[in-house]
Amino acid sequence: PVSPPKEKLATINTKITRAQQQWLTDTARTVRENNSDPVPPSERVFPQHLIGVAVELLQKAEVDWSQVRNVEELRNQLNL
């Protein structure tokens, strides 16, 4: 099968807590270590990939964005 063309990546500057940063690093390492065979560099998981998946989850979440006024309301709509 032919893979879809890759989208160009964009850099963002964001601030997260140190605990979130550590979780991203640890989780990406865990995912990489789940592979018993070597994984090509283009397929390895790093924190940026987890963040990209998190954005996809937000895009697919059933959130009424017209009603969200702050992060706490977003957390409430996501039941966090």
Side-chain angles (χ1 to χ4, degrees):
V2 176
S3 354
K6 292 195 176 197
E7 287 190 57
K8 291 190 179 212
L9 299 177
T11 300
I12 63 168
N13 183 13
T14 186
K15 301 273 186 191
I16 58 176
T17 67
R18 287 181 188 234
Q20 290 170 325
Q21 179 190 33
Q22 191 60 54
W23 182 88
L24 284 169
T25 300
D26 293 345
T27 303
R29 182 181 307 113
T30 298
V31 171
R32 289 192 305 272
E33 290 173 353
N34 286 338
N35 295 284
S36 54
D37 296 324
V39 176
S42 64
E43 295 176 21
R44 291 180 192 146
V45 173
F46 292 98
Q48 68 187 33
H49 302 112
L50 298 175
I51 293 169
V53 171
V55 170
E56 289 178 43
L57 281 170
L58 282 171
Q59 290 172 322
K60 292 183 184 282
E62 293 187 19
V63 171
D64 183 353
W65 293 101
S66 68
Q67 298 301 308
V68 175
R69 293 175 293 178
N70 55 51
V71 174
E72 193 56 40
E73 288 183 3
L74 175 58
R75 284 189 176 109
N76 287 338
Q77 284 206 33
L78 294 171
N79 297 315
L80 298 176

